Amino acid sequence: MTEPAIKLADLPKAAPFELHPDDRIAIEHEIAHYDHPRAAVIEALKIVQTRHGWVPDAAIPAIAGVLRIGSAEVEEVATFYNLIFRQPVGRHVIKLCDSMSCYLTGYDDVAAAVKRKLGIDFGQTTTDGRFTLLPICCLGACDKGPVMMIDDDTHGQLMPHALDDILEAYR
Amino acid sequence: MNRAETHPLTARLNLTDPPDLKRYEAAGGYQGLRKALKEMAPADVQQTVKNANLRGRGGAGFPTGVKWSFVPMTAPDGTPYRGHKYILCNADEMEPGTFKDRLLMEGDPHQMVEAMLVSGYAIGATRGYIFLRGEYVLSAQRLNRAIDEAKATGYLGENILGSGWGMTLAVHTGAGRYICGEETALINSLEGKRANPRTKPPFPQAAGLWGKPTVVNNVETLCCVPHIVVNGADWFKSLSQGKSTDGGTKLYGVSGRARRSGCWELPIGTTAREIIEEHAGGMADGLKLKCWLPGGASTDFLLPKHLDLAMDFDTIGQHGSRMGTGLITVVDDKASLLGMLYNLELFFTRESCGWCTPCRDGLPWTARILKALEQGRGQPGDIEILEQMTRDLGPGRTFCAHAPGAMEPLQSALKYFRDEFERGIALPPRRQAA
């Protein structure tokens, strides 16, 4: 029998992960809102993401333990919803709306300008770790298109030449 | 009449400083709850809402009172119903072109809380959840503050106002995905699962959240309810001023390249022309209206000749589209129609949950063809494939309404602007050489 090309033991180990005690309390608090703990899975993922910026693989079984469900049941949710990040993101996350009202009011030019200024494409993070750029569907502010969110803030009526002033506030 | 009687949904609206409990009550707030609990049985509230002819503002236009009437009010043996029932607010506003529910939640959060309570009382709900999209951070903060105030005052919890009936209420924030707005997908998502839709029947009223009786209503729909209870069904019906057989006002809006995009509360049945030309000030300088979507990405295009139609569910439905959410998107003559369609179908492709094959595979195929046509490298037969898509991804062929919704703008564009599709087909090489 030939040796396998990759041995399991040689694979990089996931970094160990321990839930912060405050996060465990916060998740338990969320569970109390529901008749079944599993309903708190999205909140639990968000709580972990708020602390770490993203949800590492090793966090999945830790969350599953608090919710008393299987890791696969957490994983299937964590991989379905686009606001749960499964790889590291920058300090600030730009979500640029690419739906139709923004498309009609100048999305293409704004997207090109953001990409050029930051030197990244959608799904990428600047080398200094400051910004991650993501597409997002309609943000419900169509009368102010084109629109983007940076972290929790919504910015409308975007114009390519005025982007610097907005980005400047996020260091 | 004062503004509260003609513009019930937005009279108190204040986006910079929304009314707190005290101001909300001073402006007549929580009178709907008091009246319902003290003077009306749940069946009376249901009947009043039925009489008012309130139809679902999320886009489907289903009569709200009828929807509620399928909720069991007694156990099978005739004794009072025991166990939980749920009232869910669909606040997952994500239909491209739609920006009305955000205004109601950010600008008058107590109205939302009272709406959940009165509607919950009507179906005998014991628990309420506002399913809010994750991006609406300000709505979440303001709703949670309103819920805390309502709890402290005794409007939430056990034995509300001494009625013997009690209900809890919480905000549940999502983490993205348009499909969460489909009511059974919303229920799965709330249970902590992937937002795949469920088979119907059973309908949520019989077996919804955790298998218990559940009603899912849109934000705007629910917000009408306390006003109907306070002022009566006849008053609500009169709000349409004879423009429609539907009752009430409607939040209408315009986005795209109009002069003054925005959202306004108007009598239901107001014409699209009045909404676009008077309220939005017409198209921006130098632009002409080419076509318009009456209520979101999943409605059929209409033309300038349709502008005098009343914007209500039946009228727009009789003219080959749907009113949908009632938030109009105007398309100007300088925009690329194929580019916009590609944008729309790419959206539906990305937001497909992937559960059923026609949707998962048909939508990206559709988007690919549209991109080729937009770039002038379409192949002979592409238009026929698109036409086949509108049938194979249409109603009844897929698990939920996502793909059929995606086909609505496409089928209407093929009907009205077929020549633009034809121009996207690349000429065979020998003809280019000639």
Side-chain angles (χ1 to χ4, degrees):
Chain A
M1 219 170 86
T2 50
E3 284 285 298
I6 300 170
K7 290 182 199 157
L8 275 179
D10 295 340
L11 286 173
K13 297 253 186 331
F17 183 91
E18 204 159 329
L19 267 183
H20 191 283
D22 292 352
D23 292 353
R24 180 179 294 273
I25 292 166
I27 295 170
E28 295 285 1
H29 176 79
E30 289 299 330
I31 290 173
H33 284 141
Y34 303 100
D35 297 324
H36 296 271
R38 183 175 180 174
V41 62
I42 285 179
E43 280 305 326
L45 289 162
K46 285 186 186 174
I47 287 165
V48 168
Q49 182 161 294
T50 302
R51 182 171 304 278
H52 301 273
W54 63 297
V55 179
D57 289 350
I60 300 293
I63 291 171
V66 184
L67 298 177
R68 302 180 283 283
I69 57 177
S71 292
E73 290 169 316
V74 178
E75 179 72 10
E76 66 170 12
V77 167
T79 51
F80 186 85
Y81 296 95
N82 55 292
L83 296 179
I84 304 299
F85 307 140
R86 295 307 306 280
Q87 45 184 306
V89 292
R91 292 194 295 284
H92 305 289
V93 177
I94 302 175
K95 288 164 279 194
L96 183 60
C97 171
D98 58 5
S99 292
M100 64 175 179
S101 297
C102 290
Y103 169 79
L104 288 169
T105 50
Y107 160 81
D108 281 339
D109 291 344
V110 171
V114 172
K115 288 197 265 187
R116 193 173 58 243
K117 274 181 203 308
L118 301 179
I120 53 172
D121 207 334
F122 285 103
Q124 296 179 340
T125 301
T126 54
T127 47
D128 60 0
R130 186 172 156 208
F131 288 115
T132 295
L133 178 61
L134 297 174
I136 195 104
C137 76
C138 187
L139 287 169
C142 316
D143 53 335
K144 301 179 190 70
V147 182
M148 68 177 173
M149 285 184 84
I150 303 182
D151 303 335
D152 286 347
D153 312 325
T154 304
H155 300 274
Q157 280 151 347
L158 301 175
M159 283 185 281
H161 64 267
L163 287 169
D164 282 338
D165 290 344
I166 297 173
L167 296 177
E168 199 48 41
Y170 301 87
R171 300 311 303 179
Chain B
M1 283 211 289
N2 64 27
R3 200 175 154 77
E5 286 171 46
T6 55
H7 298 73
L9 297 177
T10 56
R12 285 179 296 244
L13 202 77
N14 187 331
L15 290 169
T16 46
D17 180 23
D20 59 8
L21 183 82
K22 205 181 257 179
R23 276 160 56 209
Y24 180 75
E25 287 186 312
Y30 289 108
Q31 289 306 316
L33 180 68
R34 288 178 183 280
K35 184 172 175 185
L37 264 52
K38 289 189 189 305
E39 299 173 23
M40 299 166 86
D44 300 334
V45 180
Q46 287 194 19
Q47 191 59 46
T48 305
V49 169
K50 245 187 234 178
N51 294 347
N53 203 11
L54 171 64
R55 297 176 65 178
R57 305 296 200 235
F62 193 80
T64 306
V66 177
K67 191 179 211 179
W68 292 354
S69 68
F70 299 125
V71 175
M73 300 303 282
T74 56
D77 61 1
T79 56
Y81 183 90
R82 275 194 263 179
H84 285 306
K85 284 191 255 182
Y86 298 92
I87 177 104
L88 308 182
C89 173
N90 187 343
D92 194 58
E93 181 170 66
M94 225 179 281
E95 178 75 20
T98 304
F99 49 101
K100 63 183 179 73
D101 297 338
R102 180 204 277 266
L103 298 182
L104 293 173
M105 294 183 288
E106 287 184 2
D108 198 3
H110 272 289
Q111 175 172 259
M112 182 79 256
V113 173
E114 185 181 6
M116 288 296 283
L117 281 162
V118 180
S119 308
Y121 175 71
I123 62 158
T126 46
R127 298 226 190 289
Y129 293 102
I130 300 170
F131 189 106
L132 182 70
R133 67 178 294 189
E135 294 91 336
Y136 281 10
V137 180
L138 189 59
S139 297
Q141 288 166 358
R142 290 179 173 179
L143 287 170
N144 277 319
R145 197 179 311 149
I147 287 171
D148 288 344
E149 279 186 304
K151 256 186 214 159
T153 317
Y155 290 145
L156 273 170
E158 301 291 309
N159 192 20
I160 298 167
L161 298 174
S163 65
W165 169 78
M167 185 180 116
T168 62
L169 179 60
V171 175
H172 174 97
T173 61
R177 297 310 293 267
Y178 170 75
I179 197 65
C180 294
E182 201 279 343
E183 69 174 3
T184 59
L186 184 149
I187 290 169
N188 271 339
S189 185
L190 186 47
E191 287 185 3
K193 299 172 184 160
R194 293 167 83 99
N196 298 128
R198 294 179 179 177
T199 320
K200 291 195 260 192
F203 288 90
Q205 294 96 318
L209 191 63
W210 295 301
K212 297 288 198 301
T214 302
V215 159
V216 186
N217 284 131
N218 166 262
V219 171
E220 186 186 355
T221 313
L222 290 166
C223 285
C224 292
V225 173
H227 303 287
I228 293 172
V229 165
V230 170
N231 298 311
D234 289 336
W235 162 83
F236 191 74
K237 277 198 283 195
S238 75
L239 287 176
S240 57
Q241 299 178 7
K243 294 170 194 282
S244 169
T245 52
D246 293 353
T249 57
K250 175 81 192 74
L251 294 186
Y252 291 114
V254 174
S255 70
R257 298 182 71 186
R259 210 179 294 272
R260 290 188 304 272
S261 292
C263 181
W264 310 275
E265 183 180 9
L266 300 169
I268 194 162
T270 300
T271 65
R273 185 181 300 283
E274 182 185 328
I275 297 164
I276 294 170
E277 293 182 359
E278 287 181 34
H279 298 282
M283 299 300 288
D285 284 338
L287 298 177
K288 282 205 197 81
L289 178 68
K290 176 175 182 169
C291 53
W292 50 287
L293 293 171
S298 57
T299 59
D300 291 78
F301 284 104
L302 290 172
L303 299 173
K305 71 175 182 190
H306 297 117
L307 281 175
D308 292 310
L309 295 179
M311 281 281 284
D312 69 18
F313 295 107
D314 292 341
T315 310
I316 299 296
Q318 283 153 12
H319 289 81
S321 187
R322 294 188 304 120
M323 179 165 84
T325 61
L327 280 280
I328 294 170
T329 307
V330 292
V331 184
D332 57 86
D333 57 337
K334 300 269 171 68
S336 156
L337 185 83
L338 288 174
M340 180 175 172
L341 272 175
Y342 171 59
N343 174 281
L344 281 169
E345 300 306 336
L346 201 59
F347 161 80
F348 285 110
T349 299
R350 193 174 68 197
E351 297 303 328
S352 169
C353 77
W355 182 252
C356 70
T357 309
C359 182
R360 184 184 60 240
D361 289 355
L363 288 174
W365 189 358
T366 304
R368 246 183 349 259
I369 292 175
L370 287 166
K371 186 178 188 184
L373 289 171
E374 187 205 1
Q375 295 175 341
R377 31 175 204 89
Q379 296 297 310
D382 277 356
I383 297 176
E384 289 71 21
I385 294 175
L386 291 179
E387 285 173 333
Q388 193 182 332
M389 293 291 183
T390 63
R391 293 188 295 271
D392 291 351
L393 275 67
R397 299 299 188 94
T398 58
F399 205 75
C400 80
H402 181 82
M407 291 301 106
E408 292 187 23
L410 177 61
Q411 70 194 11
S412 49
L414 282 163
K415 181 167 69 176
Y416 296 129
F417 304 106
R418 197 185 169 94
D419 54 324
E420 296 192 32
F421 290 80
E422 284 165 355
R423 282 202 293 276
I425 310 270
L427 293 174
R430 56 192 160 78
R431 284 184 59 191
Q432 276 174 346

